[in-house]
Amino acid sequence: MANQLSQLDQVFAALADPTRRAIVMRLCAGEASVGELAEPFEMALPSFMKHIHVLETCGLLQSEKEGRVRTCRLSPEALLSAEDWFQHQRAIWEARLDRFEAYVMKLKKERAAAKRPSKTTEKTTNKPSKRKGA
Amino acid sequence: MANQLSQLDQVFAALADPTRRAIVMRLCAGEASVGELAEPFEMALPSFMKHIHVLETCGLLQSEKEGRVRTCRLSPEALLSAEDWFQHQRAIWEARLDRFEAYVMKLKKERAAAKRPSKTTEKTTNKPSKRKGA
DNA sequence: TAATTGGTTAGCCATGGAGCTAACTATAGG
DNA sequence: CCTATAGTTAGCTCCATGGCTAACCAATTA
């Protein structure tokens, strides 16, 4: 678990760099050699290789060398574990909002019960639009 | 759009730090003052404030000061946009896998058609277990 | 075998990020 | 008014990161 967190550090740090995100995006479309991957970037190969190595270290990328060409492919587990982090946070966040909303509803009801005849005209609580991947 | 990417840089960089991730996690459970947020960490306040500022700069956190206490809350848009990035990549990745699978199926069928009488007994393609939030 | 291609290693430099202390501002409470 | 509280500003280290060049393998290919 503590190890997990440290892996998250690495994955997020890796994805914080636009070059590396581009590599990941490229690899989502299929495997490629280092040369093919490097070609769109105006960067010396050794610099580029560092990015490859970072991605490989944090588990986002796998590669193997055949002859003199190294082929890279995405290894999705790390990507998925990072995505899971977001989903987990969002779950907590949304649960809290639901609880809060319930609380507000209860308050409203109580207040309405307290001064029965007068209608309490409050602004509608802005509930934050449920999202797709929920 | 180019601005969007730069925002992603910042968000991922922000989340690459365990302290900041912890802050975000804490704020998912509800708003808190700087002091409350800082309390679990063995870190000088100015250092901690930098983290707060980083989170605020990249749009993950909002804060306002009343009297001498600054209250922080999560502002979910940035978090969601980062999560969207993952979902987008995964969509592409999975689409490719599906295409690949279809391709393998086609190959199988063709091969089966070629040597009609013999049943080609191949191992099942290991399809990568559809995930929850799909 | 010689030259080219594809990648790798080594080492340098500049920048930025995470941490610290010290000193300061401003509100709250006595 | 005085003190304690809650943040803030300024300025300093240290080291990790991203980039470079130069030189170096090791497979292909001519």
Side-chain angles (χ1 to χ4, degrees):
Chain A
M1 198 69 180
N3 183 21
Q4 263 282 22
L5 288 180
S6 144
Q7 162 120 350
L8 263 193
D9 285 6
Q10 291 186 310
V11 170
F12 282 131
L15 294 178
D17 185 285
T19 300
R20 289 193 291 258
R21 266 203 320 282
I23 295 174
V24 168
M25 292 170 76
R26 169 59 227 277
L27 288 180
C28 276
E31 63 182 38
S33 72
V34 169
E36 287 168 350
L37 288 174
E39 184 249 318
F41 301 96
E42 311 215 336
M43 185 184 296
L45 244 199
S47 314
F48 186 79
M49 282 298 294
K50 280 194 186 175
H51 289 297
I52 297 285
H53 190 245
V54 168
L55 289 172
E56 194 155 20
T57 298
C58 74
L60 281 168
L61 182 152
Q62 279 175 313
S63 72
E64 60 189 316
K65 201 167 178 177
E66 284 175 42
R68 64 184 168 177
V69 49
R70 175 174 296 278
T71 304
C72 305
R73 61 184 57 79
L74 200 65
S75 100
E77 289 78 18
L79 208 57
L80 294 177
S81 80
E83 188 181 357
D84 281 347
W85 186 84
F86 283 98
Q87 294 183 347
H88 187 230
Q89 297 324 307
R90 185 151 53 79
I92 295 173
W93 160 265
E94 284 172 355
R96 185 182 75 86
L97 278 197
D98 288 349
R99 263 186 282 120
F100 179 69
E101 203 173 310
Y103 171 70
V104 169
M105 289 309 241
K106 186 183 147 219
L107 269 195
K108 266 193 187 176
K109 206 177 281 183
E110 284 175 1
R111 195 186 289 188
K115 39 178 181 175
R116 184 54 53 87
S118 76
K119 260 178 137 181
T120 57
T121 57
E122 307 179 55
K123 277 180 185 143
T124 60
T125 64
N126 62 333
K127 70 173 164 184
S129 65
K130 278 279 196 291
R131 293 180 80 256
K132 46 187 168 181
Chain B
M1 198 69 179
N3 184 22
Q4 263 281 22
L5 288 180
S6 146
Q7 162 121 350
L8 263 192
D9 286 5
Q10 291 186 310
V11 170
F12 281 132
L15 295 177
D17 185 284
T19 300
R20 288 193 293 258
R21 266 203 320 283
I23 295 174
V24 168
M25 292 170 76
R26 167 63 226 274
L27 289 180
C28 276
E31 64 182 38
S33 72
V34 169
E36 287 168 349
L37 288 175
E39 183 250 320
F41 300 96
E42 310 216 336
M43 185 183 297
L45 244 200
S47 315
F48 186 79
M49 283 298 294
K50 278 195 186 174
H51 290 297
I52 297 286
H53 191 245
V54 168
L55 288 172
E56 194 155 21
T57 299
C58 74
L60 280 167
L61 183 152
Q62 280 174 312
S63 72
E64 60 188 316
K65 201 166 178 178
E66 285 176 42
R68 65 186 165 174
V69 48
R70 175 173 297 279
T71 302
C72 304
R73 59 185 58 80
L74 199 65
S75 100
E77 289 78 18
L79 209 56
L80 294 177
S81 80
E83 188 181 357
D84 281 347
W85 186 85
F86 283 97
Q87 294 183 346
H88 187 230
Q89 298 322 308
R90 185 151 53 79
I92 294 174
W93 160 266
E94 284 173 354
R96 184 181 76 84
L97 278 197
D98 288 347
R99 264 187 282 119
F100 179 69
E101 203 172 310
Y103 171 69
V104 168
M105 289 307 240
K106 187 182 147 218
L107 270 195
K108 267 193 189 175
K109 206 176 282 183
E110 283 176 0
R111 196 187 288 189
K115 38 178 180 175
R116 184 53 53 87
S118 77
K119 259 177 137 179
T120 58
T121 58
E122 306 179 57
K123 277 178 184 142
T124 59
T125 65
N126 61 333
K127 66 176 168 184
S129 65
K130 278 280 198 285
R131 294 178 80 256
K132 45 188 169 181

